[in-house]
Amino acid sequence: MEKQITALQISHILGEDYPRGWVESLIEIPKKEKFGDAAFPCFALAKSMRKSPAVIAGEIAARLKHPVFDSVEVQSGYINIFFDRAFITEHTLNQVLEDPGAYGSHTFGEGKNAVFDMSSPNIAKPFSMGHLRSTVIGNALANLVEKCGYQAVKVNYIGDYGTQFGKLLAAYTRWGDPKVVEEDPIKELTKLYVTFHEEAEEEPALIEEGREWFKKLEAQDPEALLLWNWFREASLQEFDTLYEMLGVDFDLTRGEAYYTDKMEPVIQQLEDKGLLEKSEGADVVQLDESMPPCLIRKSNGTTTYATRDLAAAIDRYQSYPFEKSLYVVGNEQTLHFNQIKQVLKKAGFEWADRMEHVSFGMILQDGQKMSTRKGKTVLLEEVLEEAVDQALMNIKEKNPDLMNPEETARQVGVGAVIFHDLKQDRRHDIEFSLEDMLTFEGNTGPYLQYTHARACSLLRKGGFSPEDSKTAGGDPESWSLVKMMRAFPEVTASACSTNDPSKAARYLLDLGRSFNQYYAKSKIIGSPTQQENLTLVYAFTVVMKEGLRLLGMAAPEHM
């Protein structure tokens, strides 16, 4: 609010040639409090106004007045603005306390759908760390869009179709043992898949055998369908266990196979619009010069991943007319996504421009991409279990009398894994390191959860009840914390608009540090202002808990 007020005031002083939005884009938040709570640099005005930045700053500062400003200073071409701390503190706390669950909410998405294509593991393969990113980034973004008023629709688009399943069927019919597969379906099917690729290097004819099995599957061959259904159901059961651990649910779980009977109408539409062309026996759609043609149907008559994605996009818009459709998939899918979007636009679907690729980097192991076919993967279930075990050891060591330590360890361990991912810029690759992920100090999820629990402990010790809140304030020790809490609505809006949950994660680290500095410097309980202090602490727990919830993490009150 203060930033907008400041921009409006300066814009009004400068005149209509300097709109508020432009002024606001220049306003900075000084790193040191001695330079104010906001600063406006006047250097960009020097040329047009034909004056030095220092003179301009002085002229603007002399006219800059508003009840929210405590004082204004001029320094080296900057206007440094100090806000009224008592007013801001009381106003912020009242906003938080008025409706704790709603603080940081917005209405700009009201009445609009946001559809998410996220997680999307492949059946008959273990849920690896490689699928963690799509799952937790998608879940956090879905929480953020709902915070901003949208109706989020989370779609788990299961990989259950395509030539890789022809390879798996070929492998099973050659080497599979039904009893062994029954005992541990995913582990054994993964072994068969790896074996297929190892053997295919020596016997290339296996690749053609895999293609033939996929043709059988597309033709609804009874044997192929029976095996495929078995593999699919076994996989979904295992996935559900992991989603429960992560606290992630979906509005719709739908595999590629669902679109088997919906692809032909899409192909016909492309044909009717004159977009399909023959290329070496295959059907393709030519795109602009910046990308290769989109393969729609192979020369052997089988469909492609692109065909299914086109059918899925059309089906989603028909089912949930969306304001935006977010595809939370890896950087390596950028070309594919752009092709799909271009085909839909050429076919006349105006809503194609509402589709966005929320790309992210890979989780690497020793600098290399994880690969199921090479047998090189790290299982998410094992990572989560180890994280929970280590959290339990830490809890028993530091707080042996804690009630229900297993549940707290689950919240902390899973939270550590989620936060380690979300604090990163999603576009960058992440080197897998269990040691870094499970460090319970520094810029980690457990640090935030412990800070929240510490604040809850203070509230219990002081016998605080929200009904006894007193919002007077403005003391120097609490100012940084108040400003951080004040920034929460701006952070949620920005993280939503830019599809970047790391903004929320990094904000929570700053918020946690501000609270711990306040805790270290202030006598919270036993001071004449105890009730005001505890009101501030309570407001902090509200914001931290909600911030963690948006990231998909729990906020334990005891640790």
Side-chain angles (χ1 to χ4, degrees):
M1 180 183 78
E2 297 74 43
K3 192 175 182 181
Q4 288 81 4
I5 289 173
T6 303
L8 187 63
Q9 294 295 310
I10 294 175
S11 175
H12 179 70
I13 292 167
L14 291 173
E16 60 184 21
D17 290 338
Y18 304 92
R20 193 198 79 176
W22 180 81
V23 173
E24 189 174 334
S25 70
L26 293 179
I27 293 175
E28 302 172 3
I29 306 300
K31 292 182 179 179
K32 295 183 179 179
E33 286 190 357
K34 68 178 182 178
F35 296 127
D37 302 309
F40 179 73
C42 297
F43 307 100
L45 300 170
K47 185 175 180 180
S48 60
M49 298 182 73
R50 297 182 179 180
K51 298 177 183 177
S52 73
V55 170
I56 297 169
E59 291 176 350
I60 295 174
R63 299 174 58 190
L64 198 57
K65 291 177 173 58
H66 192 277
V68 81
F69 301 152
D70 182 62
S71 62
V72 177
E73 295 178 358
V74 173
Q75 187 175 41
S76 303
Y78 277 86
I79 303 171
N80 296 334
I81 300 158
F82 297 80
F83 298 134
D84 184 324
R85 295 184 176 186
F87 173 81
I88 296 295
T89 298
E90 188 165 359
H91 189 265
T92 301
L93 295 179
N94 282 333
Q95 278 192 312
V96 176
L97 298 171
E98 183 180 355
D99 188 351
Y103 185 63
S105 297
H106 302 277
T107 58
F108 58 79
E110 200 168 302
K112 302 171 184 175
N113 290 328
V115 178
F116 289 82
D117 181 315
M118 54 179 280
S119 194
S120 309
N122 294 320
I123 67 166
K125 293 182 183 179
F127 201 117
S128 73
M129 286 296 294
H131 284 285
L132 173 71
R133 304 213 70 190
S134 177
T135 306
V136 298
I137 293 170
N139 190 56
L141 286 176
N143 291 336
L144 283 162
V145 301
E146 288 185 334
K147 189 73 173 171
C148 295
Y150 290 92
Q151 175 67 44
V153 181
K154 293 185 283 185
V155 180
N156 193 4
Y157 187 41
I158 299 291
D160 62 357
Y161 216 61
T163 54
Q164 67 266 41
F165 299 105
K167 295 173 183 178
L168 182 62
L169 292 170
Y172 177 79
T173 53
R174 277 204 173 209
W175 308 294
D177 182 330
K179 291 182 180 178
V180 177
V181 173
E182 281 283 2
E183 288 174 8
D184 195 342
I186 305 304
K187 183 178 179 181
E188 187 59 27
L189 291 172
T190 302
K191 279 185 184 178
L192 290 170
Y193 189 71
V194 172
T195 299
F196 179 91
H197 285 278
E198 290 173 345
E199 294 294 324
E201 290 182 6
E202 302 295 327
E203 188 182 347
L206 268 176
I207 300 297
E208 187 56 38
E209 192 175 319
R211 291 194 186 104
E212 287 302 313
W213 269 103
F214 179 53
K215 283 189 73 173
K216 287 184 180 181
L217 186 60
E218 284 211 300
Q220 305 284 291
D221 175 81
E223 183 185 6
L225 274 178
L226 184 68
L227 292 173
W228 176 82
N229 275 310
W230 175 28
F231 299 162
R232 188 178 191 276
E233 288 307 311
S235 301
L236 292 178
Q237 287 180 20
E238 185 160 310
F239 296 160
D240 285 345
T241 301
L242 285 166
Y243 291 133
E244 187 176 351
M245 283 188 77
L246 289 168
V248 175
D249 56 20
F250 297 92
D251 300 288
L252 186 66
T253 296
R254 184 163 283 174
E256 293 175 61
Y258 173 82
Y259 298 100
T260 303
D261 61 351
K262 296 172 177 59
M263 287 183 282
E264 198 55 45
V266 172
I267 295 171
Q268 190 59 52
Q269 275 185 286
L270 298 177
E271 179 79 60
D272 293 344
K273 292 175 184 289
L275 296 175
L276 275 192
E277 295 182 14
K278 285 291 182 184
S279 175
E280 298 180 6
D283 291 311
V284 303
V285 174
Q286 295 290 345
L287 303 173
D288 61 44
E289 295 178 0
S290 67
M291 63 184 81
C294 184
L295 178 61
I296 302 298
R297 184 162 45 196
K298 297 178 183 178
S299 57
N300 66 358
T302 58
T303 56
T304 68
Y305 191 46
T307 327
R308 294 185 285 281
D309 265 8
L310 290 168
I314 294 167
D315 179 65
R316 285 173 196 170
Y317 188 77
Q318 290 172 344
S319 302
Y320 311 98
F322 49 74
E323 178 66 21
K324 53 183 180 179
S325 179
L326 304 179
Y327 287 73
V328 189
V329 293
N331 291 335
E332 67 272 18
Q333 293 292 323
T334 298
L335 173 61
H336 169 78
F337 177 79
N338 288 337
Q339 287 179 309
I340 296 301
K341 193 169 179 176
Q342 283 297 319
V343 171
L344 289 168
K345 288 179 75 171
K346 289 191 77 167
F349 295 103
E350 54 82 22
W351 47 259
D353 279 327
R354 303 181 204 172
M355 295 164 57
E356 299 178 55
H357 179 200
V358 181
S359 62
F360 55 84
M362 295 180 287
I363 295 183
L364 306 177
Q365 189 176 17
D366 301 323
Q368 301 293 317
K369 179 182 177 180
M370 296 178 181
S371 173
T372 305
R373 71 173 62 182
K374 296 178 181 177
K376 183 179 181 179
T377 188
V378 176
L379 303 186
L380 176 59
E381 185 175 15
E382 293 175 0
V383 172
L384 292 175
E385 287 174 351
E386 186 159 347
V388 171
D389 288 344
Q390 185 164 326
L392 185 59
M393 282 188 349
N394 286 356
I395 287 169
K396 287 183 175 178
E397 180 184 329
K398 295 177 181 178
N399 191 359
D401 299 325
L402 180 67
M403 297 284 288
N404 199 4
E406 289 80 10
E407 175 61 17
T408 303
R410 186 191 65 78
Q411 294 175 339
V412 173
V414 173
V417 175
I418 292 173
F419 191 79
H420 182 268
D421 190 297
L422 294 181
K423 72 179 181 181
Q424 319 278 350
D425 185 320
R426 61 173 168 78
R427 296 165 297 181
H428 297 163
D429 293 342
I430 300 175
E431 180 66 34
F432 173 75
S433 168
L434 198 57
E435 184 178 351
D436 289 346
M437 193 176 290
L438 303 182
T439 297
F440 288 78
E441 296 175 358
N443 297 337
T444 65
Y447 164 78
L448 297 179
Q449 290 170 316
Y450 178 73
T451 301
H452 176 267
R454 168 186 272 178
C456 290
S457 176
L458 278 172
L459 297 177
R460 289 192 298 271
K461 192 180 294 185
F464 177 81
S465 171
E467 290 75 25
D468 303 326
S469 298
K470 290 183 71 175
T471 58
D475 64 283
E477 305 301 345
S478 66
W479 182 232
S480 292
L481 178 57
V482 170
K483 286 196 294 182
M484 286 305 307
M485 291 193 291
R486 187 102 175 135
F488 186 54
E490 186 177 341
V491 170
T492 57
S494 178
C496 171
S497 299
T498 59
N499 300 323
D500 187 0
S502 73
K503 289 184 176 179
R506 292 193 297 268
Y507 163 79
L508 292 182
L509 288 172
D510 290 337
L511 178 67
R513 280 191 284 268
S514 293
F515 174 80
N516 283 320
Q517 288 166 6
Y518 169 68
Y519 176 82
K521 294 177 181 177
S522 305
K523 185 179 181 182
I524 296 171
I525 295 177
S527 74
T529 57
Q530 174 175 309
Q531 208 59 24
E532 290 91 336
N533 298 344
L534 289 176
T535 300
L536 179 68
V537 172
Y538 171 68
F540 162 76
T541 64
V542 168
V543 178
M544 178 60 79
K545 182 177 182 179
E546 178 64 1
L548 291 172
R549 183 193 71 81
L550 291 174
L551 297 183
M553 297 168 60
E557 295 186 6
H558 303 263
M559 274 180 72

